[in-house]
Amino acid sequence: MINQIAAGEVIERPASVVKELVENALDAGASRVEIVTAGGGLNLIRVTDDGSGIPEPELALAIARHCTSKLSDDILDIRSLGFRGEALPSIGSVARLSIRSRTATGDSAAEIGIEGGRVSAVKPAAANRGTTVEVRDLFFATPARLKFMKGERAESSATSDVVKRIAIAFPAVRFTLAGPDRSTLELPATDDTAEGRLARVAQVMGKDFPDNAIAIDAMRDGVHLAGHVSIPSYTRANALQQYAYVNGRPVRDKLIAGAIRGAFADVLPRDRHAVTVLFLSLDPATVDVNVHPAKADVRFRDPGLVRGLIVGAIREALAGAGIRAATTGAAGMMAAFRPGAAPYSHPGPANGHRSYEAAYRASSGFDPLRSAQRPLDMGYGEAGPRANGFAENEQAAFDTGPLASADARAGTAEPAEALLGMVLGAARAQVHENYIVAQTRDSLVIVDQHAAHERLVYEALKNALHARAVPSQMLLLPEIVDLPEEDAERLAMHSQTLAQFGLGLERFGPGAVAVRETPSMLGETDVQQLVRDLADEIADNDTVETLKERLDKIAATMACHGSVRSGRLLKAEEMNALLRQMEATPGSGTCNHGRPTYIELKLADIERLFGRR
Ligand code: ADP
Ligand code: MG
């Protein structure tokens, strides 16, 4: 019964059995792991590995509670995936389990069984080196749990997710997942280099991820962060494609998820999520994995350090990657151009990610399905009338550079050779009063001037925001916010940082703070709510990101209102100045709403369209 109680926590569903068995195979140093399931894993789960095997005299121990071969004397020094000695006895208490194993030195294999907690005698068996664990009739001994299963399809897909998640961390191991209840998943071994890891990620997530990903590699105070994140125009509707590993262990961690959200906050729309694969490596003594029996939760000794490292590294990588738009989107666009081509099919939904056409369609009503002939004629709903209703005065406040100069429009003159070598090339024309057509040596670039300028203004505002203290306004009367004492204390501890962001507050007796100043940018704001949100955030993450994010958001709104509207005619110099500024501004590949600011069509592709290749 004790084992069944433990099983309640460790073995939630078939996927948890698979997770535990695969972890055991990896701990045993396997280079091949074969998984077979039937009936969503409820009828059968079989995991075969070519690892070290279990010596015959230890078979009985393997299924005994709290027996593990993986712990040294130090619980703080955990280097294996398992360490609790709970999985096998838990599974054996709720299912029919058999283990057949042979070590490198053993001259034959041996087998032991356990059914609903009843152990059978060890007997000889025939097998190659390694271990096969077979689990039949999961939860037959605990019918109540059986009732909670979601059906074969859902359970087998949960199992696939578990295998994929763990496979990403072990690129040198070959995984196969097969059975009558699924289509076979095969992940051939790559290797443990950066390329090998990315190749494994591509096996799991699809070939287009590497094309749309930026490498991350950063180190701070002994904590190493490596992996890949998607560029801002390659996103998903949920955060399921965010994989995180701590010392090789797959984890689902609120702190890491929050850091990723924070890092992407100002390049992604609120409802979109980046695709990420991040590996954290740190001294095992500085991270506690013994938080929950399922071992997917961790606690960091220094959460601020880890969060700061992740946010900083991702932002830096995004900045360094400069302006890139999703390649998959350009391919879809090319398909739309192709005369007489099959009805436009967007590449996104099929593999689950949304590229920019979908974003355009959602935001502007432009649907390439219906207007494949005129894919450039897309207007912005929010940009107002297309007439030259551009207010110069309003604009002046937001000017980010030499947009004001005037000369002849771009046109027929040969572009300067140097400009052709730039990422966004030389501006040649402006069409539909919003699109700059530019030319590089080997491509045609189309820039959405409104989106691009909006981004530039936003970045400028944000820099100003972060460079110096944010202007604040005094409240006529200080506002008293009542809070739990711990929250008041936490806020007081961060009062200096908060002051930099224009929020002046101080302790006001036990269980309260007095707010004297608020950031002027926020205008009339719900001080009570702001302060409570901040207290929650500090309690969760030990940071004051909320306030930064709010200010960033306001900067974004201001930028949107202050930017060059579509409809404004630009001179050649203005267009080229805009392109050069985009090249120099990190993050300018997407506008504040996460839409791309430009697209690039390769000359080779255009030639193919015309049948010249
Ligand atoms: P833990 O993994 O926490 O040690 P388990 O109950 O999962 O606990 O496994 C108990 C023990 O059985 C392990 O410590 C290991 O010695 C042995 N074992 C289980 N699976 C395998 C395997 N596939 N290959 C070799 N040894 C195994
Ligand atoms: Mg284990």
Side-chain angles (χ1 to χ4, degrees), residues 423-459:
V423 177
L424 295 178
R428 300 305 306 275
Q430 185 191 27
V431 295
H432 290 287
E433 296 171 354
N434 183 51
Y435 298 98
I436 299 170
V437 179
Q439 163 184 5
T440 71
R441 288 213 178 86
D442 64 348
S443 69
L444 176 75
V445 174
I446 304 172
V447 176
D448 178 331
Q449 73 183 36
H450 170 72
H453 193 241
E454 179 180 304
R455 183 75 203 190
L456 295 177
V457 172
Y458 173 51
E459 291 293 333

Short mmCIF file of all heavy atoms in Angstrom, two decimals, residues 423-459:
data_model
loop_
_atom_site.label_atom_id
_atom_site.label_comp_id
_atom_site.label_asym_id
_atom_site.label_seq_id
_atom_site.Cartn_x
_atom_site.Cartn_y
_atom_site.Cartn_z
N VAL A 423 22.45 44.74 -45.96
CA VAL A 423 21.44 43.70 -45.73
C VAL A 423 20.13 44.05 -46.43
O VAL A 423 19.52 43.21 -47.07
CB VAL A 423 21.19 43.51 -44.22
CG1 VAL A 423 20.08 42.48 -43.99
CG2 VAL A 423 22.46 43.06 -43.53
N LEU A 424 19.70 45.30 -46.28
CA LEU A 424 18.41 45.67 -46.86
C LEU A 424 18.57 46.39 -48.20
O LEU A 424 17.59 46.84 -48.79
CB LEU A 424 17.62 46.54 -45.88
CG LEU A 424 17.20 45.82 -44.59
CD1 LEU A 424 16.46 46.76 -43.65
CD2 LEU A 424 16.34 44.60 -44.87
N GLY A 425 19.81 46.56 -48.63
CA GLY A 425 20.06 47.05 -49.97
C GLY A 425 19.75 48.51 -50.21
O GLY A 425 19.66 49.31 -49.28
N ALA A 426 19.59 48.85 -51.49
CA ALA A 426 19.34 50.23 -51.91
C ALA A 426 17.87 50.41 -52.23
O ALA A 426 17.27 49.61 -52.94
CB ALA A 426 20.17 50.54 -53.14
N ALA A 427 17.28 51.49 -51.69
CA ALA A 427 15.86 51.75 -51.95
C ALA A 427 15.70 52.16 -53.40
O ALA A 427 16.45 52.99 -53.92
CB ALA A 427 15.36 52.84 -51.01
N ARG A 428 14.71 51.58 -54.10
CA ARG A 428 14.50 51.92 -55.50
C ARG A 428 13.17 52.65 -55.73
O ARG A 428 13.02 53.43 -56.63
CB ARG A 428 14.52 50.67 -56.40
CG ARG A 428 15.82 49.88 -56.35
CD ARG A 428 17.04 50.73 -56.67
NE ARG A 428 16.97 51.45 -57.93
CZ ARG A 428 17.28 50.95 -59.10
NH1 ARG A 428 17.69 49.72 -59.20
NH2 ARG A 428 17.17 51.68 -60.19
N ALA A 429 12.20 52.33 -54.91
CA ALA A 429 10.89 52.94 -55.14
C ALA A 429 10.00 52.77 -53.93
O ALA A 429 10.28 51.96 -53.05
CB ALA A 429 10.23 52.29 -56.35
N GLN A 430 8.96 53.56 -53.91
CA GLN A 430 7.95 53.40 -52.88
C GLN A 430 6.65 53.09 -53.61
O GLN A 430 6.29 53.79 -54.55
CB GLN A 430 7.80 54.69 -52.07
CG GLN A 430 6.86 54.56 -50.90
CD GLN A 430 6.54 55.91 -50.29
OE1 GLN A 430 6.59 56.92 -50.99
NE2 GLN A 430 6.22 55.94 -49.03
N VAL A 431 5.98 52.02 -53.19
CA VAL A 431 4.73 51.69 -53.88
C VAL A 431 3.59 51.64 -52.87
O VAL A 431 3.81 51.40 -51.68
CB VAL A 431 4.82 50.34 -54.63
CG1 VAL A 431 5.83 50.42 -55.76
CG2 VAL A 431 5.16 49.21 -53.68
N HIS A 432 2.39 51.89 -53.37
CA HIS A 432 1.20 51.92 -52.53
C HIS A 432 1.41 52.78 -51.29
O HIS A 432 0.85 52.55 -50.24
CB HIS A 432 0.76 50.51 -52.15
CG HIS A 432 0.21 49.75 -53.31
ND1 HIS A 432 -1.02 50.02 -53.84
CD2 HIS A 432 0.74 48.75 -54.05
CE1 HIS A 432 -1.25 49.21 -54.86
NE2 HIS A 432 -0.18 48.43 -55.02
N GLU A 433 2.26 53.75 -51.44
CA GLU A 433 2.50 54.76 -50.42
C GLU A 433 2.89 54.19 -49.07
O GLU A 433 2.80 54.85 -48.04
CB GLU A 433 1.27 55.67 -50.28
CG GLU A 433 1.04 56.44 -51.57
CD GLU A 433 -0.27 57.19 -51.57
OE1 GLU A 433 -1.03 57.02 -50.61
OE2 GLU A 433 -0.51 57.94 -52.52
N ASN A 434 3.28 52.93 -49.01
CA ASN A 434 3.72 52.39 -47.73
C ASN A 434 4.86 51.39 -47.88
O ASN A 434 5.53 51.08 -46.92
CB ASN A 434 2.57 51.71 -46.99
CG ASN A 434 3.01 51.21 -45.64
OD1 ASN A 434 3.60 51.96 -44.87
ND2 ASN A 434 2.77 49.94 -45.35
N TYR A 435 5.09 50.87 -49.09
CA TYR A 435 6.07 49.82 -49.22
C TYR A 435 7.30 50.31 -49.96
O TYR A 435 7.21 50.83 -51.07
CB TYR A 435 5.47 48.60 -49.92
CG TYR A 435 4.34 48.05 -49.09
CD1 TYR A 435 3.03 48.38 -49.38
CD2 TYR A 435 4.62 47.29 -47.96
CE1 TYR A 435 2.00 47.93 -48.58
CE2 TYR A 435 3.60 46.85 -47.14
CZ TYR A 435 2.29 47.17 -47.46
OH TYR A 435 1.29 46.74 -46.65
N ILE A 436 8.43 50.17 -49.29
CA ILE A 436 9.69 50.54 -49.92
C ILE A 436 10.22 49.31 -50.64
O ILE A 436 10.35 48.24 -50.04
CB ILE A 436 10.71 51.01 -48.88
CG1 ILE A 436 10.18 52.24 -48.15
CG2 ILE A 436 12.06 51.28 -49.52
CD1 ILE A 436 11.01 52.64 -46.96
N VAL A 437 10.48 49.45 -51.92
CA VAL A 437 11.06 48.35 -52.67
C VAL A 437 12.56 48.62 -52.77
O VAL A 437 12.97 49.68 -53.25
CB VAL A 437 10.44 48.24 -54.07
CG1 VAL A 437 11.09 47.10 -54.84
CG2 VAL A 437 8.94 48.03 -53.96
N ALA A 438 13.35 47.69 -52.29
CA ALA A 438 14.80 47.88 -52.31
C ALA A 438 15.44 46.68 -52.98
O ALA A 438 14.81 45.65 -53.18
CB ALA A 438 15.33 48.04 -50.89
N GLN A 439 16.70 46.87 -53.30
CA GLN A 439 17.39 45.86 -54.09
C GLN A 439 18.74 45.58 -53.46
O GLN A 439 19.48 46.50 -53.13
CB GLN A 439 17.54 46.43 -55.51
CG GLN A 439 18.53 45.76 -56.38
CD GLN A 439 18.64 46.47 -57.72
OE1 GLN A 439 18.01 47.52 -57.94
NE2 GLN A 439 19.44 45.93 -58.62
N THR A 440 19.07 44.30 -53.23
CA THR A 440 20.42 43.95 -52.82
C THR A 440 21.06 43.25 -54.01
O THR A 440 20.46 43.17 -55.07
CB THR A 440 20.44 42.99 -51.61
OG1 THR A 440 19.97 41.71 -52.03
CG2 THR A 440 19.55 43.50 -50.48
N ARG A 441 22.28 42.70 -53.82
CA ARG A 441 22.93 42.06 -54.97
C ARG A 441 22.13 40.88 -55.47
O ARG A 441 22.09 40.61 -56.65
CB ARG A 441 24.34 41.59 -54.59
CG ARG A 441 25.27 42.76 -54.41
CD ARG A 441 26.71 42.44 -54.80
NE ARG A 441 27.47 43.67 -54.63
CZ ARG A 441 28.02 44.02 -53.48
NH1 ARG A 441 27.93 43.23 -52.44
NH2 ARG A 441 28.66 45.15 -53.37
N ASP A 442 21.47 40.16 -54.54
CA ASP A 442 20.82 38.92 -54.99
C ASP A 442 19.37 38.80 -54.53
O ASP A 442 18.83 37.72 -54.47
CB ASP A 442 21.62 37.71 -54.50
CG ASP A 442 21.60 37.63 -52.98
OD1 ASP A 442 21.19 38.61 -52.34
OD2 ASP A 442 21.99 36.58 -52.44
N SER A 443 18.76 39.94 -54.17
CA SER A 443 17.37 39.80 -53.76
C SER A 443 16.60 41.11 -53.88
O SER A 443 17.17 42.17 -54.12
CB SER A 443 17.29 39.31 -52.31
OG SER A 443 17.74 40.33 -51.45
N LEU A 444 15.29 40.93 -53.74
CA LEU A 444 14.38 42.05 -53.75
C LEU A 444 13.83 42.16 -52.33
O LEU A 444 13.39 41.16 -51.77
CB LEU A 444 13.26 41.74 -54.73
CG LEU A 444 12.12 42.71 -54.87
CD1 LEU A 444 12.60 43.92 -55.65
CD2 LEU A 444 10.98 42.05 -55.63
N VAL A 445 13.88 43.37 -51.75
CA VAL A 445 13.42 43.53 -50.38
C VAL A 445 12.22 44.47 -50.37
O VAL A 445 12.23 45.49 -51.04
CB VAL A 445 14.54 44.11 -49.49
CG1 VAL A 445 14.03 44.42 -48.09
CG2 VAL A 445 15.72 43.15 -49.42
N ILE A 446 11.18 44.06 -49.65
CA ILE A 446 10.01 44.93 -49.52
C ILE A 446 9.86 45.29 -48.05
O ILE A 446 9.77 44.40 -47.20
CB ILE A 446 8.74 44.24 -50.03
CG1 ILE A 446 8.94 43.77 -51.47
CG2 ILE A 446 7.54 45.18 -49.94
CD1 ILE A 446 7.81 42.90 -52.00
N VAL A 447 9.86 46.58 -47.76
CA VAL A 447 9.80 47.03 -46.37
C VAL A 447 8.46 47.70 -46.12
O VAL A 447 7.99 48.51 -46.91
CB VAL A 447 10.93 48.03 -46.07
CG1 VAL A 447 10.80 48.58 -44.65
CG2 VAL A 447 12.28 47.40 -46.28
N ASP A 448 7.85 47.34 -45.00
CA ASP A 448 6.63 48.01 -44.58
C ASP A 448 7.08 49.23 -43.77
O ASP A 448 7.53 49.11 -42.64
CB ASP A 448 5.81 47.05 -43.72
CG ASP A 448 4.55 47.68 -43.18
OD1 ASP A 448 4.53 48.92 -42.97
OD2 ASP A 448 3.58 46.95 -42.95
N GLN A 449 6.97 50.41 -44.35
CA GLN A 449 7.59 51.58 -43.72
C GLN A 449 6.94 51.94 -42.39
O GLN A 449 7.61 52.37 -41.47
CB GLN A 449 7.57 52.78 -44.67
CG GLN A 449 6.19 53.41 -44.86
CD GLN A 449 6.22 54.55 -45.86
OE1 GLN A 449 6.95 54.49 -46.84
NE2 GLN A 449 5.45 55.58 -45.60
N HIS A 450 5.65 51.72 -42.30
CA HIS A 450 5.00 52.05 -41.03
C HIS A 450 5.51 51.13 -39.92
O HIS A 450 5.95 51.57 -38.87
CB HIS A 450 3.48 51.93 -41.14
CG HIS A 450 2.79 52.03 -39.80
ND1 HIS A 450 2.70 53.22 -39.11
CD2 HIS A 450 2.22 51.09 -39.01
CE1 HIS A 450 2.09 53.00 -37.96
NE2 HIS A 450 1.78 51.72 -37.87
N ALA A 451 5.47 49.83 -40.19
CA ALA A 451 5.90 48.86 -39.20
C ALA A 451 7.36 49.10 -38.83
O ALA A 451 7.74 49.06 -37.66
CB ALA A 451 5.71 47.45 -39.73
N ALA A 452 8.18 49.38 -39.82
CA ALA A 452 9.61 49.56 -39.57
C ALA A 452 9.86 50.79 -38.71
O ALA A 452 10.58 50.74 -37.72
CB ALA A 452 10.35 49.68 -40.89
N HIS A 453 9.22 51.89 -39.06
CA HIS A 453 9.48 53.11 -38.32
C HIS A 453 8.94 53.01 -36.90
O HIS A 453 9.56 53.48 -35.94
CB HIS A 453 8.88 54.32 -39.04
CG HIS A 453 9.40 55.61 -38.48
ND1 HIS A 453 8.59 56.55 -37.91
CD2 HIS A 453 10.66 56.08 -38.38
CE1 HIS A 453 9.33 57.55 -37.49
NE2 HIS A 453 10.59 57.30 -37.78
N GLU A 454 7.81 52.36 -36.78
CA GLU A 454 7.24 52.14 -35.45
C GLU A 454 8.26 51.45 -34.55
O GLU A 454 8.47 51.81 -33.40
CB GLU A 454 6.00 51.27 -35.62
CG GLU A 454 5.30 50.94 -34.33
CD GLU A 454 4.07 50.08 -34.62
OE1 GLU A 454 3.23 50.53 -35.41
OE2 GLU A 454 3.97 48.97 -34.09
N ARG A 455 8.91 50.45 -35.10
CA ARG A 455 9.89 49.70 -34.33
C ARG A 455 11.07 50.59 -33.94
O ARG A 455 11.57 50.54 -32.82
CB ARG A 455 10.38 48.51 -35.13
CG ARG A 455 11.35 47.64 -34.38
CD ARG A 455 10.60 46.83 -33.37
NE ARG A 455 11.44 46.38 -32.28
CZ ARG A 455 11.03 45.50 -31.37
NH1 ARG A 455 9.82 45.02 -31.41
NH2 ARG A 455 11.82 45.13 -30.41
N LEU A 456 11.52 51.40 -34.88
CA LEU A 456 12.67 52.26 -34.60
C LEU A 456 12.34 53.26 -33.49
O LEU A 456 13.13 53.48 -32.59
CB LEU A 456 13.09 53.00 -35.88
CG LEU A 456 13.61 52.09 -37.00
CD1 LEU A 456 13.94 52.91 -38.23
CD2 LEU A 456 14.83 51.31 -36.54
N VAL A 457 11.16 53.85 -33.58
CA VAL A 457 10.76 54.82 -32.56
C VAL A 457 10.68 54.13 -31.20
O VAL A 457 11.14 54.64 -30.18
CB VAL A 457 9.40 55.45 -32.92
CG1 VAL A 457 8.88 56.30 -31.76
CG2 VAL A 457 9.52 56.29 -34.18
N TYR A 458 10.13 52.93 -31.22
CA TYR A 458 9.97 52.16 -29.98
C TYR A 458 11.32 51.87 -29.34
O TYR A 458 11.52 52.09 -28.14
CB TYR A 458 9.23 50.87 -30.29
CG TYR A 458 9.15 49.89 -29.16
CD1 TYR A 458 8.68 50.30 -27.91
CD2 TYR A 458 9.50 48.56 -29.33
CE1 TYR A 458 8.59 49.40 -26.87
CE2 TYR A 458 9.41 47.66 -28.30
CZ TYR A 458 8.96 48.07 -27.07
OH TYR A 458 8.87 47.18 -26.04
N GLU A 459 12.27 51.42 -30.15
CA GLU A 459 13.59 51.11 -29.62
C GLU A 459 14.24 52.36 -29.03
O GLU A 459 14.88 52.30 -27.98
CB GLU A 459 14.50 50.51 -30.70
CG GLU A 459 14.10 49.13 -31.16
CD GLU A 459 14.28 48.06 -30.08
OE1 GLU A 459 15.15 48.24 -29.20
OE2 GLU A 459 13.54 47.06 -30.10
#
